[in-house]
Amino acid sequence: MRSQDWYGGTGRDPFIHRAWMRRGVPDHAFDGRPQIAIANTASDLTPCNAHLNEVAEYVKQGVWEAGGVPVNLPVTSLGETLVKPTAMLWRNMAAMTIEEMLRANPIDAAVLLGGCDKTIPALLMGAASVDLPAVVVPGGPMLNGYFRGERSGCGTGVWALSEEVRAGNLSEQEFERFDKQMVRSKGHCNTMGTASTMGIMAEALGMTIPGVAGTPAPDSRLLEASHASGRLAVELALEDRRISQVITKESFHNAIVTLAAIGGSTNAVVHLLAIAGRLGIDLTLEDFDRIGGKVPLLVNLQPSGSYLMEDLFRAGGLLAVLDQVQDLLDPAAQTVVGAPLTSFLGEHPVWDRDVISLRENPLQDEAGIAVLRGNLAPRGAVIKPSAASPELLTHTGRAVVFDSIEDFHARIDDPDLDVDADSVLVLRGCGPKGYPGMPEVANTPLPPKLLKQGVRDMVRISDGRMSGTAYGTVVLHVAPEAASPGSVLALVQDGDLISLDVPNRKLELLVPEEELEARKPAYREVSSFAKADRGWQKLYIEHVQGADTGADLDFLVGSSGSIVTRESH
């Protein structure tokens, strides 16, 4: 066991390591049995993860039962709905601290407890860079939310109802009363947002016990699975079954197929790219289009559909979905339990075909996230066709440009804003460097004067992200971002024609090349880009990579292993 480098043998240093860990721990805890870290993102300021301390107690029971020693390891937690300017600014920092603490401590394997959007990606990125044995326990979604007796998902309902307030169709008072109906229990967002998507991605990558992802947080079966994951972690340590042996290129193939079939969040693209980068696996934007572009949409969940995560679990869960696309999965991809993912498929009935469609009757034939290219996004941009308006997937309109989020908020409600339903709203300065952190602001509210005319979607383009709970014809992650040298996005002017052609994967600014060469970014635009003279933001701005490669820091890509050669005293 790796932990014996701390606890084994005689002398001053092993004595120090053992003595300070006593505190009621029995002698046999140091006899060579596996030390299992519970990397725990529970925090009152990450409300979607607040219940993970309870989950950790059940993991501990499983570890003790299997002959291991559990140790709670609180790690950096990011509450998507609270932290400013955006949780994405600290995903890489969280991953870095997780990596360093797993490496620095006497740990033989880890159980990774996450839920809210950035926590599972950060856990996987950090753990992958140490490459210890590990298993993920997703915290699970909250119970269904309702508004006026109809299902309304957290996040998705906010975007929809807030627009009705802006349109004058719903009072502020009634909107305020919606919050208790929307968030009814512990757990993360109950739509197919980023949190639900990344829990499912962890399972598709092989990093959970099969069948766990999507278990509602209040369901007692989550605690049963937590106990089993604790037992499994001891087995992983004894067999030295490392993350790099589980997550392979074939695993990412299965994750991309799954992402399309469930109608998952566009944010999974940047997270999967970053995780692959830590493992040295060559994953590109093209892989998402090549593998996922033709996969049918089978899951009827908000924001692409009608139902919520509790319904998906009731209807058969993820394994029932994967049964329907088993022929598209790579059978070589393994799981933490030591068997291929596909070996768990084939006998999972669909109990509600309105929630999970059968393969022969999909909700949409080609549902994968589309990767767009063109002079406006030479390094790529993404759009989620299943959450977009079909009639806008091929569209040409004149640009209405906002140089920053402040510029947008200052002008979008102006009744004199020169905009119509065919316009293309362009929001820039929201990329990894420019904001900083690439926030979820790209699904911009629509102009009130158009909302009052009945308009509920427009083509929107941004170098930022949008919440996985959001919807609309929104082109995201434009690369290079406006703050990067040579960006064409930085040169767009009001009135320029922009052509969106999703079927042909094109995004073009219809301005002659010689005119673009003569343009320079406006002072107001450049002055809005993020600047920092110290601290994490300075480090981030100087080293963050583009969205097209996962927005990791350049010096964090790859791994450093688990070996520590020097003593502390």
Side-chain angles (χ1 to χ4, degrees):
M1 290 291 104
R2 175 179 181 269
S3 56
Q4 286 300 289
D5 290 342
W6 281 257
Y7 298 137
T10 59
R12 186 185 66 180
D13 289 322
F15 173 87
I16 291 172
H17 298 317
R18 291 191 300 266
W20 264 257
M21 283 296 287
R22 293 270 177 204
R23 322 292 167 123
V25 176
D27 288 343
H28 63 256
F30 308 111
D31 65 2
R33 64 189 63 210
Q35 306 286 317
I36 308 300
I38 303 171
N40 187 356
T41 58
S43 169
D44 289 344
L45 289 171
T46 307
C48 297
N49 292 15
H51 65 296
L52 291 182
N53 284 328
E54 179 186 21
V55 171
E57 289 302 314
Y58 281 80
V59 173
K60 286 182 180 180
Q61 293 174 19
V63 172
W64 281 122
E65 183 181 328
V69 179
V71 288
N72 188 41
L73 179 63
V75 295
T76 303
S77 188
L78 301 172
E80 190 70 33
T81 57
L82 291 183
V83 295
K84 295 181 180 182
T86 171
M88 186 64 176
L89 176 60
W90 295 287
R91 182 202 65 178
N92 301 332
M93 184 187 77
M96 184 165 66
T97 60
I98 291 162
E99 172 186 347
E100 297 300 340
M101 289 302 98
L102 289 177
R103 180 181 296 114
N105 280 291
I107 293 166
D108 301 307
V111 181
L112 311 176
L113 307 187
C116 192
D117 295 16
K118 308 302 178 294
T119 54
I120 286 180
L123 286 163
L124 283 172
M125 290 164 67
S129 287
V130 186
D131 198 26
L132 289 174
V135 57
V136 174
V137 179
M142 64 181 76
L143 298 177
N144 286 355
Y146 294 91
F147 181 70
R148 294 176 176 173
E150 299 292 331
R151 286 178 181 83
S152 188
C154 58
T156 304
V158 174
W159 315 128
L161 295 180
S162 62
E163 291 291 68
E164 295 308 313
V165 173
R166 289 163 56 79
N169 298 331
L170 184 70
S171 71
E172 286 279 3
Q173 293 75 20
E174 193 161 11
F175 179 57
E176 288 294 329
R177 287 195 294 271
F178 171 54
D179 65 349
K180 294 183 182 66
Q181 304 169 55
M182 176 180 69
V183 180
R184 298 175 50 232
S185 75
K186 56 189 173 184
H188 60 64
C189 291
N190 52 19
T191 55
M192 190 55 76
T194 305
S196 297
T197 298
M198 291 313 300
I200 288 172
M201 290 297 95
E203 181 161 329
L205 288 171
M207 286 299 298
T208 75
I209 293 175
V212 170
T215 305
D219 195 304
S220 62
R221 284 168 286 188
L222 177 62
L223 301 179
E224 179 184 352
S226 302
H227 184 107
S229 297
R231 288 183 55 85
L232 175 61
V234 176
E235 176 187 322
L236 293 174
L238 292 171
E239 296 186 3
D240 197 28
R241 193 181 306 147
R242 297 171 179 261
I243 292 177
S244 60
Q245 296 170 297
V246 176
I247 304 181
T248 60
K249 185 65 180 281
E250 292 80 9
S251 308
F252 284 101
H253 176 103
N254 290 350
I256 293 170
V257 170
T258 305
L259 181 65
I262 63 174
S265 168
T266 50
N267 292 313
V269 176
V270 289
H271 297 321
L272 290 174
L273 287 168
I275 295 165
R278 297 300 184 98
L279 290 162
I281 294 172
D282 181 23
L283 188 70
T284 67
L285 281 179
E286 279 64 36
D287 290 320
F288 287 85
D289 225 352
R290 177 180 58 82
I291 298 167
K294 303 297 183 182
V295 176
L297 176 66
L298 300 180
V299 176
N300 184 15
L301 256 64
Q302 299 178 25
S304 295
S306 303
Y307 291 93
L308 298 170
M309 287 295 293
E310 185 183 350
D311 301 303
L312 175 61
F313 190 68
R314 167 182 59 82
L318 176 61
L319 295 183
V321 178
L322 296 183
D323 270 8
Q324 298 297 313
V325 292
Q326 183 174 353
D327 61 303
L328 302 179
L329 300 174
D330 194 316
Q334 296 295 308
T335 67
V336 284
V337 298
L341 178 63
T342 53
S343 70
F344 295 92
L345 303 180
E347 298 181 356
H348 301 281
V350 174
W351 301 114
D352 187 338
R353 296 183 182 182
D354 197 37
V355 179
I356 302 174
S357 295
L358 300 184
R359 177 74 170 275
E360 57 267 25
N361 188 33
L363 295 162
Q364 189 173 318
D365 287 328
E366 298 179 0
I369 290 169
V371 178
L372 310 175
R373 301 271 184 183
N375 67 343
L376 195 51
R379 290 192 350 226
V382 302
I383 189 171
K384 182 177 176 178
S386 65
S389 300
E391 67 275 11
L392 291 176
L393 293 176
T394 302
H395 181 82
T396 299
R398 59 186 182 89
V400 179
V401 182
F402 301 95
D403 288 325
S404 66
I405 193 63
E406 292 80 13
D407 181 32
F408 174 84
H409 288 312
R411 296 194 292 128
I412 192 63
D413 291 348
D414 186 348
D416 295 326
L417 183 67
D418 186 13
V419 64
D420 58 40
D422 291 328
S423 299
V424 175
L425 303 183
V426 177
L427 174 62
R428 60 192 175 197
C430 298
K433 290 181 182 292
Y435 198 78
M438 203 181 175
E440 296 182 340
V441 296
N443 56 311
T444 54
L446 303 186
K449 67 179 183 181
L450 297 183
L451 290 169
K452 291 172 183 177
Q453 297 171 16
V455 176
R456 290 297 181 270
D457 193 13
M458 298 172 66
V459 174
R460 286 158 280 179
I461 297 174
S462 180
D463 47 6
R465 299 177 301 116
M466 76 175 181
S467 167
T469 68
Y471 55 89
T473 311
V474 188
V475 177
L476 306 153
H477 311 180
V478 172
E481 64 171 296
S484 292
S487 168
V488 173
L489 180 64
L491 305 178
V492 181
Q493 297 179 359
D494 285 340
D496 287 347
L497 288 180
I498 294 176
S499 173
L500 171 66
D501 184 355
V502 175
N504 291 304
R505 303 304 197 253
K506 292 290 186 181
L507 181 65
E508 297 284 349
L509 177 63
L510 303 181
V511 174
E513 185 66 29
E514 57 271 19
E515 182 176 342
L516 289 177
E517 290 176 357
R519 289 184 182 181
K520 293 183 178 180
Y523 171 78
R524 183 176 68 176
E525 174 190 353
V526 174
S527 64
S528 74
F529 295 155
K531 302 170 184 65
D533 57 9
R534 64 172 301 279
W536 174 255
Q537 287 201 21
K538 177 177 172 61
L539 188 66
Y540 182 92
I541 292 168
E542 291 177 352
H543 291 278
V544 69
Q545 298 181 316
D548 55 307
T549 57
D552 202 354
L553 302 193
D554 52 18
F555 63 84
L556 290 178
V557 175
S559 63
S560 300
S562 63
I563 296 174
V564 182
T565 59
R566 288 181 167 177
E567 267 292 350
S568 55
H569 293 83

